[in-house]
Amino acid sequence: MKNIRNVALFGLGRIGYTHFKTLLQNSRLNIKWVVEEAVDRAKQVMCDHGISDCIQVISPSHSQKVFDDPSVTLVFVCSPHATHQQIVTKALEAGKNVFCEKPLTLTSATSQACYDVARRNNRVLFCAFQKRFDPQLRSIYNKVRSGVIGNIHKVKVTSHEPPAIVSREYLQVSGGIFVDTAVHDFDLLLWMMNERPTSVYVEGHAYRDLQQECKDLDSVMIVMKFASGAIGSVDIDRSSQYGFDQRVEELELAGFSSQMQET
């Protein structure tokens, strides 16, 4: 018999709903609680999936019920960034393992504090940087680590998405393009390089009215220089008219080595 784990999901917004659908498909997990500010909308989602009698929907003000529930062993945190630290800390201290959407918190000190809580309570805290688990990206990474790909000269990361992917409501709580999107590409680049940059140069602009009104950017170029001499670049655009384009290119001194692309 399978060991089915009860889980709680905090946040049923854009990314929360994506995880919600994935959790429903996992036969090893049972969603017991959904914690969402928009309770009526969350309850409607449960009705739409035909599971309104199986999952308890509560507002964040009643979230202590989740932490006090001994049957819940895993908490998924997909709420707005500013709420992460408190939820993660309470869940870990209550003996729950935690999956947290990026960014874990908004500073390195508070992020470290969360991991310290996890260690003290012997719990797992996992921050979601899903690009590390892409099979093609993992293949490139393994080739770099094993020496199949030689000394890296340049790494180019492209992350383009169509404008329709984000709404005004989402942008207002997303934390901005660097916290919401670029953080994935920073993680990917540093993971590939296995070193931190010695310098970072950034330029960006807001072309679309929506980004201007939300005081955000929709086009960004980032250049990093590493101690090894390698140069990394990240090209982010949220106004791509040709659709999604997620790509990594690595150049070694002998020439072009590998590429991953999805359009």
Side-chain angles (χ1 to χ4, degrees), residues 118-132:
R119 277 190 285 271
R120 285 199 303 270
N121 290 276
N122 196 29
R123 297 294 92 185
V124 174
L125 171 57
F126 179 84
C127 187
F129 284 109
Q130 83 279 2
K131 289 190 176 184
R132 294 189 182 202

Side-chain angles (χ1 to χ4, degrees), residues 152-157 185-200 222-234:
I152 301 302
H153 185 190
K154 291 181 180 178
V155 180
K156 300 179 181 180
V157 179
D185 303 303
F186 292 158
D187 178 71
L188 177 61
L189 187 55
L190 271 59
W191 178 60
M192 288 281 187
M193 293 301 302
N194 196 33
E195 59 176 323
R196 293 182 178 273
T198 56
S199 65
V200 180
I222 305 157
V223 177
M224 299 182 185
K225 181 68 179 294
F226 295 88
S228 62
I231 300 172
S233 67
V234 178

Side-chain angles (χ1 to χ4, degrees), residues 168-180:
R168 180 183 303 276
E169 293 74 21
Y170 180 77
L171 285 179
Q172 289 173 337
V173 299
S174 70
I177 195 169
F178 294 104
V179 170
D180 186 48

Side-chain angles (χ1 to χ4, degrees), residues 1-257:
M1 180 179 294
K2 292 181 179 179
N3 181 21
I4 299 177
R5 294 176 175 271
N6 286 327
V7 306
L9 173 65
F10 281 76
L12 199 62
R14 177 189 175 194
I15 194 63
Y17 183 59
T18 297
H19 286 300
F20 172 78
K21 291 185 292 184
T22 303
L23 291 171
L24 287 179
Q25 298 170 12
N26 192 323
S27 62
R28 297 174 299 171
L29 302 176
N30 172 60
I31 305 175
K32 187 173 182 180
W33 299 90
V34 168
V35 184
E36 166 59 42
E37 192 72 52
V39 173
D40 291 340
R41 180 178 61 80
K43 288 183 176 179
Q44 185 58 53
V45 170
M46 303 305 118
C47 290
D48 293 344
H49 285 269
I51 52 176
S52 57
D53 294 333
C54 306
I55 299 176
Q56 300 180 70
V57 178
I58 58 175
S59 69
S61 60
H62 294 93
S63 60
Q64 190 61 42
K65 293 180 180 180
V66 172
F67 306 128
D68 292 339
D69 186 346
S71 73
V72 172
T73 60
L74 178 59
V75 170
F76 281 74
V77 182
C78 305
S79 52
H81 308 321
T83 67
H84 287 186
Q85 183 182 8
Q86 182 180 42
I87 297 171
V88 167
T89 300
K90 285 188 174 182
L92 292 169
E93 290 178 340
K96 324 294 187 188
N97 297 302
V98 177
F99 171 103
C100 185
E101 260 298 328
K102 57 75 196 167
L104 179 57
T105 71
L106 297 177
T107 71
S108 58
T110 52
S111 294
Q112 184 59 56
C114 287
Y115 283 108
D116 290 342
V117 174
R119 277 190 285 271
R120 285 199 303 270
N121 290 276
N122 196 29
R123 297 294 92 185
V124 174
L125 171 57
F126 179 84
C127 187
F129 284 109
Q130 83 279 2
K131 289 190 176 184
R132 294 189 182 202
F133 299 90
D134 182 286
Q136 293 172 317
L137 291 175
R138 174 64 66 168
S139 175
I140 296 174
Y141 173 83
N142 289 338
K143 289 177 181 178
V144 172
R145 295 280 80 79
S146 65
V148 173
I149 297 177
N151 293 329
I152 301 302
H153 185 190
K154 291 181 180 178
V155 180
K156 300 179 181 180
V157 179
T158 300
S159 182
H160 293 179
E161 60 185 40
I165 199 67
V166 292
S167 64
R168 180 183 303 276
E169 293 74 21
Y170 180 77
L171 285 179
Q172 289 173 337
V173 299
S174 70
I177 195 169
F178 294 104
V179 170
D180 186 48
T181 299
V183 66
H184 279 296
D185 303 303
F186 292 158
D187 178 71
L188 177 61
L189 187 55
L190 271 59
W191 178 60
M192 288 281 187
M193 293 301 302
N194 196 33
E195 59 176 323
R196 293 182 178 273
T198 56
S199 65
V200 180
Y201 177 76
V202 181
E203 287 285 359
H205 190 75
Y207 289 98
R208 300 179 65 230
D209 291 342
L210 178 58
Q211 267 78 5
Q212 292 176 14
E213 294 166 6
C214 294
K215 301 187 186 308
D216 199 358
L217 304 172
D218 53 38
S219 183
V220 171
M221 283 292 296
I222 305 157
V223 177
M224 299 182 185
K225 181 68 179 294
F226 295 88
S228 62
I231 300 172
S233 67
V234 178
D235 173 6
I236 302 174
D237 201 293
R238 280 187 148 168
S239 57
S240 174
Q241 298 302 314
Y242 62 88
F244 286 98
D245 184 2
Q246 303 290 321
R247 190 185 332 145
V248 172
E249 300 174 31
E250 292 198 353
L251 297 173
E252 58 178 320
L253 293 179
F256 179 77
S257 57

